[in-house]
Amino acid sequence: MPDAAIAELSLEPYWMPFTANRAFKRAPRLVVAARDMHYTAADGRPILDGTAGLWCVNAGHGRAPIVAAIAEQAARLDYATAFQMGNPQTFRLAAEVAALAPGDLDHVFFVNSGSEAVDTALKIALAYFQARGEPSRARFVGRLRGYHGVGFGGISVGGIEPIRKAFAAQLLPHVDHLPHTHDLAHNAFTRGQPAWGAHLADDLERLVGQRGAGTIAAVIVEPVAGSTGVLPPPQGYLERLRAICDRHGILLIFDEVITGFGRLGAAFAAERFGIVPDLMTVAKGITNGAVPMGAVLARRGIYDTIVGSVPSGVELFHGYTYSGHPLAAAAGLATLKLYRDEGLFARAASLEPYWEDAVHSLRTVPRVMDLRSLGLMAGIELESRPGTPGARGFEAFVECFNRGLLIRVTGDTIAVSPPLILERGHIDQIFGTLAEVLKGVA
Ligand SMILES: Cc1ncc(COP(=O)(O)O)c(C=O)c1O
C-alpha cells in the first residue's frame, strides 16, 4: 500500500480491541501483507512474526493451499446455515478433527472463536448434567491466571483480575478458582515442566469439601496457561486434576485454544501429557487463523447422553449463524492437510531443544526474572519498574517491532510463539533481537 494511501487513512472510527486506542492512533503500527514467517509493515519493512499472529498462524502466513481452498469454497458454496442443514466440508472437518483428538473425544461442535468455544463448553457441561438428572451440578471451577476469552462465561471462570474487575457487576454467580501454579521462589528458570507444584491441584478436593461434589459440573484449565505468560503445568499436576475429577464425577475441560494444533509438538496438549479431558475447546490453529473458527470436542458419552435425553427434536438449544461456516471448514481441511503434509507437529517437537536453549540464553540479561518454555512457546518475565508495571514490557514490544520482530506482552511478561515452520536462523534472530532490546529497556 503506498504511503500516501496510508497517510489518508482515518484511524478514529475503528475502536480497536485490547488496545490503547489513543496511544496507537498517535503512533500506529500497521502491517499490509504477510508471507510465511514475515509481515510487511506499511513502510515496507519485514517484521518477523514471533507470535504466529496471535498464537494461530501455525503453518505460517499466506499458505497457497489454504488460500486456494478458501477461494474455491467461496466460489462454490459461500454460506449455508448449519441449523437443520449441512454441507459436506463441515462434516469432513469434524471427522478429521475427531480423528486427530485423543481417546473418545469424537464429537465436534463448531463455533467461531475461542471465547465462543469456552462458553459453549460450559453450556454443554450444564446440559450434560441436566440430561443425567443431576441439575444440582451447576458450579464451575476455573483457575487464577487462566484466560478463557471474553464471553461472560469465559471471564467468570477466567482468572485475570483486570478483565474480571471491569465487568465484576455481572459475572456468573457460582464459580470458584483454583490457585495458579506460578511461583518464582520454587520454579524460576525451570526448563520444561516444573518439578514443584503438583499438590496445588489438591485445592480441588478442598472445594469439593466446601461446596459438595454434587454441586460441581466442571473444572476448566488451560493445560499450559498462555495469555498470562506461558506457565507450563507442574509435573503431575494435570494428572492429579484428572484423578480428582474422576473421583467426584466432575467434568474436566481443557482449553486448548493456544495449545491445540502443534504448539507443544503434538496435535494437542492432551496428547503430549497423556491425559484425556471430557471436553476440549479449540480455535486459532484449526484454520491457521485464516478464517475465524473454534470448536468444542466432546467425549462420546457426553454427546450420547445429551442427544439421547430427548425423544425427538433439537437436543441442544445452542449454535451460531456461522457455526461450521463453509469457508472456515474449507480452510480447516486445507490447514490440517498442510500440518500433515509438512509434518509440522513433529517439526515443532524436533525444534524444541534448540528453542529451549535459545530461551535460556537470556538468563544473563539484566532484569529477566524468569524464563519458561514448552513446545514452541516461551515466556520471558521482566522485573517491573517500580510504580509503572507494564511499562518496560510495552517498551520492549515497541522496540522489537521497530527492529523487525513481533512479540507479545502481558504486563511485563513477553510471550513468543512463532509459526511452526520456522528455521533455526529465525530462532537466533528472535532471541538475538530480544537480548539487544532487553539490555536497552532499563
Ligand atoms: C486459552 C484461550 N481460551 C480462549 C481464548 C479466546 O479466544 P478468542 O480470542 O478467539 O475468542 C484465548 C485467546 O487467546 C485463549 O488463549
Side-chain angles (χ1 to χ4, degrees), residues 55 113-115 118 147-149 222 227 255 257-258 283-284:
W55 321 83
S113 66
S115 300
V118 166
Y147 182 62
H148 301 292
E222 302 161 83
S227 293
D255 185 347
V257 165
I258 280 178
K284 298 191 187 258

Side-chain angles (χ1 to χ4, degrees), residues 173-222:
H174 305 301
V175 176
D176 294 301
H177 289 84
L178 299 171
H180 63 74
T181 62
H182 184 46
D183 189 323
L184 287 183
H186 289 97
N187 291 337
F189 300 105
T190 298
R191 286 173 175 254
Q193 290 184 259
W196 180 91
H199 65 281
L200 296 168
D202 295 343
D203 207 59
L204 184 54
E205 285 287 10
R206 183 187 62 80
L207 287 172
V208 166
Q210 189 182 339
R211 305 292 192 189
T215 69
I216 302 176
V219 174
I220 180 167
V221 292
E222 302 161 83

Side-chain angles (χ1 to χ4, degrees), residues 66-79 89 291 325-328 330-331:
I66 302 174
V67 175
I70 296 169
E72 198 272 334
Q73 184 64 45
R76 187 152 41 88
L77 173 66
D78 55 353
Y79 174 79
Q89 299 292 57
V291 181
H325 194 289
L327 295 197

Side-chain angles (χ1 to χ4, degrees), residues 38 80 115 189 192 235-236 256 278 331 347 411 437:
H38 291 90
S115 300
F189 300 105
Q235 293 165 22
E256 294 231 26
D278 300 296
R347 180 185 172 75
V437 166

